[in-house]
Amino acid sequence: MKKFKRQLFAVVVLVAGFAAAIGSYLLFKPDDRGSGGLDVRPVAEAMAVRDNSHRLTTPKKSELTVVEFLDFECEGCGAFYPVVEKLREEYGDRVTFVARYFPMPGHRNGELAARTAQAAAHQGKFEEMYSKLFTTQKEWGEAQESKQDVFRDYAKQLGLDMAQFDTALADPRVAERVRTDQRDGLGLGVQGTPTFFMDGEMIQTPGSYAAFKNLIDARLAD
């Protein structure tokens, strides 16, 4: 059974890699107007982590920072969600885990999902919405129509003030916050999701939980 799970995860990682390659093409291919597929440009001085980045763990003494540039609609990110959760549980008292937005243009609701998470963050519920979006991804991902009503229902389930949530969701500053993460990602060479960094250095996406754990253990042992 364990062997089957390892094989299944390996297949998911391969699919995620293929999806990232396709996403990279969509990201940079010119559209009919000759512009890039993503309406942002790399920031001049890109940073893997900023003061306002969403930290999923805040250890008293952080020994390592792991950053994920993610798209809530990305199946590869969805596959890595339980891996990251398990790593957080094991290393949360030593490692700072950071989530940053990088919605891909090929996903109809990716950018909306990112704004939904950011709107929830305005009420102190980023992590709850982050988890909600990933655990329900199969219910709304890959849809061709807007899932704003679905996301509003998630906000209600989390007990958010809906007037504040709707205002934040429509606020241009929330959209700009998402684009800020995208600009940093582009400046750092991110071309698809998920993309991980350890202490500011991009790493090859691990092929399994064990491989990711080994990478972290090696960094912590340095």
Side-chain angles (χ1 to χ4, degrees):
M1 187 64 173
K2 289 183 179 179
K3 183 179 180 181
F4 173 75
K5 289 183 177 178
R6 288 197 298 270
Q7 291 174 337
L8 180 61
F9 186 81
V11 170
V12 170
V13 170
L14 287 173
V15 171
F18 178 74
I22 295 298
S24 176
Y25 169 74
L26 291 172
L27 191 65
F28 296 108
K29 78 176 183 70
D31 61 19
D32 294 338
R33 294 163 297 176
S35 60
L38 188 64
D39 189 24
V40 296
R41 295 292 180 269
V43 69
E45 296 183 6
M47 300 173 64
V49 185
R50 293 188 179 272
D51 290 342
N52 66 347
S53 295
H54 293 299
R55 290 159 174 81
L56 300 173
T57 56
T58 53
K60 291 183 179 179
K61 184 179 179 181
S62 181
E63 301 173 49
L64 177 68
T65 299
V66 175
V67 178
E68 178 184 6
F69 282 85
L70 59 86
D71 178 344
F72 288 109
E73 195 169 354
C74 164
E75 291 184 358
C77 297
F80 267 93
Y81 168 72
V83 173
V84 173
E85 289 297 286
K86 190 173 181 180
L87 292 170
R88 284 177 58 194
E89 183 178 353
E90 184 166 357
Y91 295 100
D93 60 341
R94 302 179 66 187
V95 177
T96 301
F97 289 89
V98 181
R100 301 201 67 182
Y101 307 119
F102 201 82
M104 301 293 289
H107 290 149
R108 173 67 173 81
N109 288 286
E111 192 272 344
L112 176 60
R115 284 192 287 118
T116 294
Q118 187 59 28
H122 283 206
Q123 297 186 49
K125 295 283 188 177
F126 170 79
E127 187 173 342
E128 290 84 349
M129 186 61 80
Y130 160 91
S131 296
K132 189 72 173 176
L133 289 167
F134 274 133
T135 56
T136 62
Q137 186 190 74
K138 291 182 180 180
E139 299 173 14
W140 59 268
E142 302 303 324
Q144 297 306 307
E145 70 279 4
S146 172
K147 291 298 181 178
Q148 184 166 332
D149 288 344
V150 173
F151 296 160
R152 289 190 80 253
D153 188 55
Y154 295 163
K156 291 177 183 177
Q157 292 175 28
L158 295 178
L160 299 183
D161 180 302
M162 294 308 297
Q164 292 182 27
F165 174 81
D166 289 338
T167 298
L169 191 64
D171 192 333
R173 290 173 294 183
V174 168
E176 179 61 23
R177 173 67 176 75
V178 174
R179 287 193 291 267
T180 295
D181 277 12
Q182 289 177 308
R183 291 189 184 101
D184 269 337
L186 289 172
L188 293 167
V190 175
Q191 297 185 3
T193 56
T195 296
F196 293 93
F197 289 78
M198 284 188 175
D199 281 345
E201 177 186 350
M202 187 189 295
I203 63 170
Q204 183 175 351
T205 302
S208 67
Y209 165 78
F212 213 144
K213 183 181 186 309
N214 288 340
L215 276 176
I216 291 177
D217 285 340
R219 295 296 182 108
L220 293 176
D222 286 345

